[in-house]
Amino acid sequence: MFKDRTAKSVRDCTFILHCPEVEIFQLKQNAIRMFGYGTIKIDEFGQIFLYFICMGRENFPNKLLNITLPKDPLDNTECLYLRVKDINNNEYRADKISFKINNFPSSLPKNYTIALPSIYSMSKAKKIESSYLYLQFLEKCKIPTNKYNTLESSLGSTSMFWNQTDIKIDKYLVSIIKYESHTEVSVTGIFDIKTLLDCLKFYIGFSSSSMPQFYYMQTVENGDKKEIFSSIDNSRKYQFSCSPMVESIGNEDYKDYQYHYHTLKNIIKLYKEKNKFFESIYSQWERVWYSFQSETSITVLTLSVAIEGLLNDIYIPMIEQTEDKIEIQQEISALKKQIKSLNLDTKHYDKLINSISFWKKTTAAKAIVYLIEKNILTTKDKVSWNNIRNESAHPKIRDFDLDKQRLRNEEILLCINIFHKLILNTLGFSGPIIVFSEGVDPICNELIHINILN
């Protein structure tokens, strides 16, 4: 009950800590130290603030005006740390904080308002072999449910809700429960918390077109219990991109949703076995998601570059390993001999020789041709990506009539489909997906995984 009340106060932006003890300090010799009292609150936008009354300080710079501390946030010896105690003597901490100071006038006491990305508390729990992860977020969740819960009203009536998803993975269980106001996730068993946290964020976000912000988190590992409260951006709760994942389908072959849950298992497997692949798809997806919250031109540029990024990070290294480099080099050498026999001036000769040398380099365009041959992409995909990439890389003023605008929109949607197919193929996904097209509602197609990466 205490956990529920605390999480609700963070969710409702009513969380408050009255702190008779506040200390800000560095971990080095002759370190800056400030102490006093204050209050920690969450504003209406979801940002956590410390309203600090400084009563004393040590090793503090004398002549500063509107300077941010620490001066070098990348230097660990310069980083500032926060420790507070509330009126119940509970201790909370924050690592690597920063804030602006105005040391004029220099008399004490002095007020500071400090934005905190997060605060946490540590305590001891019963040491057992298993771990525990619990978190809450406000963004919409579109994970298919497979379990119902009952709710009894004060009048005695009972209602049934299909609002829970249980996914069993190895030696632990992931439970996702959707409420009207928020979603909560709990994981129990033997697992690595950091690995699963990163994978869950991508799985939930990619499946739901959202960017989940975990405002409340609780972890237990090796007998250490950690409770974390994080600042969020409330305006982002209502922001979406698009997702190829299908939340519900009437097809008998997919009614158990294992194709969806298996995606989480594959994400975890990719994280453990090919972490660079995971980092690539996660970072590119994150960039594309944020670009959807901006102008169309920015979305187009980000999307086209993200596709090229996936090709460079994941597919081109594989293609270069499978290509017959000896045959290509023989072709280049033979052509160079033919060029030497031509009567060309030095300028044109050098240009031809240099351009031929690039043949052995696998470009993004060549990689797409390879993926077309493997039936992962289509020729239409290649044309659309080329047009969008060239438009983004070489922008100029264009007059669009209605037909040209529709064609451009169709190319953008095709690029979104390309981006999704590259990610899903990396994850070994087979199942129903949503395909986007201009002028019609998204349709559901079946995607069959073609294994070319192993």
Side-chain angles (χ1 to χ4, degrees):
M1 287 298 294
F2 176 75
K3 177 180 69 175
D4 294 338
R5 288 197 304 270
T6 306
K8 185 178 185 303
S9 69
V10 179
R11 181 169 66 249
D12 298 339
C13 299
T14 58
F15 178 81
I16 184 170
L17 285 177
H18 296 289
C19 307
E21 292 185 31
V22 176
E23 181 184 16
I24 296 173
F25 56 94
Q26 293 175 317
L27 299 175
K28 67 173 186 176
Q29 288 185 342
N30 300 318
I32 291 175
R33 179 173 175 265
M34 305 168 67
F35 52 91
Y37 62 94
T39 304
I40 293 177
K41 294 181 180 180
I42 300 179
D43 69 9
E44 59 184 307
F45 304 107
Q47 173 68 55
I48 301 175
F49 282 98
L50 166 65
Y51 300 94
F52 174 42
I53 310 298
C54 180
M55 301 300 294
R57 55 200 180 192
E58 300 171 358
N59 300 314
F60 203 72
N62 292 322
K63 297 180 180 180
L64 290 176
L65 184 65
N66 292 328
I67 300 297
T68 299
L69 287 180
K71 293 181 180 180
D72 184 2
L74 299 179
D75 183 350
N76 287 332
T77 63
E78 292 292 322
C79 290
L80 293 169
Y81 298 86
L82 169 70
R83 182 188 65 82
V84 305
K85 283 190 177 181
D86 67 8
I87 55 178
N88 296 315
N89 208 37
N90 297 314
E91 184 174 288
Y92 297 85
R93 290 178 175 266
D95 297 338
K96 298 183 178 181
I97 66 173
S98 64
F99 60 100
K100 284 187 176 181
I101 63 172
N102 185 341
N103 208 26
F104 180 84
S106 59
S107 58
L108 295 175
K110 195 166 183 62
N111 299 337
Y112 295 95
T113 300
I114 304 173
L116 302 174
S118 65
I119 60 172
Y120 65 90
S121 65
M122 300 293 299
S123 59
K124 287 295 181 182
K126 184 179 179 181
K127 190 169 184 178
I128 54 178
E129 185 180 359
S130 61
S131 300
Y132 176 71
L133 170 66
Y134 174 86
L135 53 89
Q136 288 190 11
F137 60 93
L138 295 162
E139 288 72 26
K140 191 171 184 180
C141 180
K142 295 182 180 179
I143 308 297
T145 57
N146 58 16
K147 185 177 179 179
Y148 69 85
N149 291 293
T150 57
L151 179 65
E152 186 174 344
S153 72
S154 58
L155 299 176
S157 61
T158 302
S159 301
M160 184 179 72
F161 299 93
W162 284 89
N163 68 337
Q164 182 168 339
T165 303
D166 283 353
I167 306 175
K168 184 72 172 67
I169 304 175
D170 297 332
K171 296 181 180 181
Y172 57 93
L173 177 67
V174 178
S175 292
I176 304 171
I177 304 178
K178 292 184 275 190
Y179 298 95
E180 288 187 8
S181 60
H182 67 285
T183 300
E184 64 180 32
V185 180
S186 61
V187 188
T188 53
I190 301 174
F191 63 97
D192 179 72
I193 290 176
K194 184 185 183 309
T195 296
L196 195 58
L197 191 60
D198 291 342
C199 293
L200 278 171
K201 185 173 183 179
F202 177 63
Y203 174 61
I204 294 168
F206 183 70
S207 300
S208 309
S209 310
S210 63
M211 183 65 69
Q213 302 176 93
F214 303 142
Y215 60 84
Y216 178 81
M217 188 185 312
Q218 196 178 108
T219 64
V220 178
E221 190 172 30
N222 298 323
D224 293 323
K225 178 181 175 182
K226 189 174 185 179
E227 193 175 27
I228 307 168
F229 312 88
S230 297
S231 295
I232 63 169
D233 182 353
N234 276 335
S235 64
R236 226 167 71 191
K237 294 185 298 183
Y238 312 106
Q239 303 299 319
F240 304 98
S241 58
C242 60
S243 171
M245 301 298 286
V246 179
E247 184 178 6
S248 61
I249 189 170
N251 191 319
E252 287 293 317
D253 294 335
Y254 298 110
K255 66 178 181 180
D256 61 355
Y257 302 116
Q258 289 305 313
Y259 70 92
H260 204 296
Y261 308 147
H262 200 65
T263 304
L264 174 59
K265 299 176 184 178
N266 283 354
I267 290 171
I268 297 169
K269 182 180 179 182
L270 189 72
Y271 185 100
K272 293 178 178 178
E273 297 179 2
K274 297 180 179 180
N275 190 257
K276 288 185 177 179
F277 285 10
F278 173 84
E279 289 178 357
S280 178
I281 63 174
Y282 183 92
S283 61
Q284 299 298 350
W285 163 77
E286 190 174 47
R287 292 187 187 104
V288 170
W289 188 91
Y290 279 109
S291 75
F292 267 77
Q293 322 314 321
S294 188
E295 298 292 333
T296 302
S297 58
I298 296 176
T299 303
V300 170
L301 175 60
T302 306
L303 184 60
S304 62
V305 172
I307 291 171
E308 190 168 350
L310 293 176
L311 294 172
N312 287 331
D313 293 339
I314 299 172
Y315 290 92
I316 288 178
M318 175 275 303
I319 294 170
E320 290 182 337
Q321 288 178 2
T322 58
E323 279 185 336
D324 189 347
K325 294 293 183 182
I326 297 177
E327 182 178 347
I328 294 174
Q329 189 59 49
Q330 288 174 346
E331 290 180 1
I332 292 173
S333 298
L335 189 55
K336 283 182 177 180
K337 288 180 181 179
Q338 294 180 30
I339 292 173
K340 285 181 180 180
S341 65
L342 299 176
N343 186 18
L344 298 173
D345 59 39
T346 304
K347 179 180 179 181
H348 293 127
Y349 174 80
D350 290 341
K351 282 185 176 181
L352 282 172
I353 293 297
N354 289 335
S355 64
I356 291 170
S357 299
F358 280 106
W359 284 11
K360 58 186 175 183
K361 179 177 175 58
T362 305
T363 63
K366 288 182 182 178
I368 289 179
V369 172
Y370 179 90
L371 296 177
I372 292 171
E373 294 172 354
K374 298 297 182 180
N375 295 318
I376 293 173
L377 299 178
T378 67
T379 302
K380 192 175 181 181
D381 290 337
K382 180 178 182 294
V383 173
S384 297
W385 178 78
N386 278 333
N387 291 340
I388 291 298
R389 185 72 178 94
N390 290 337
E391 177 189 326
S392 301
H394 310 287
K396 63 180 181 180
I397 295 176
R398 289 183 172 88
D399 294 326
F400 286 114
D401 59 27
L402 187 58
D403 289 336
K404 288 182 179 179
Q405 185 63 50
R406 286 174 178 169
L407 177 61
R408 182 172 182 268
N409 291 343
E410 176 66 17
E411 289 176 335
I412 294 172
L413 291 174
L414 281 174
C415 284
I416 291 172
N417 295 332
I418 294 170
F419 182 66
H420 290 159
K421 284 189 284 187
L422 292 177
I423 289 178
L424 291 171
N425 189 75
T426 305
L427 294 173
F429 176 89
S430 288
I433 64 167
I434 295 173
V435 178
F436 300 91
S437 185
E438 171 65 13
V440 297
D441 291 334
I443 60 174
C444 183
N445 284 349
E446 185 178 36
L447 181 69
I448 303 300
H449 174 238
I450 299 174
N451 187 2
I452 64 170
L453 293 175
N454 292 332

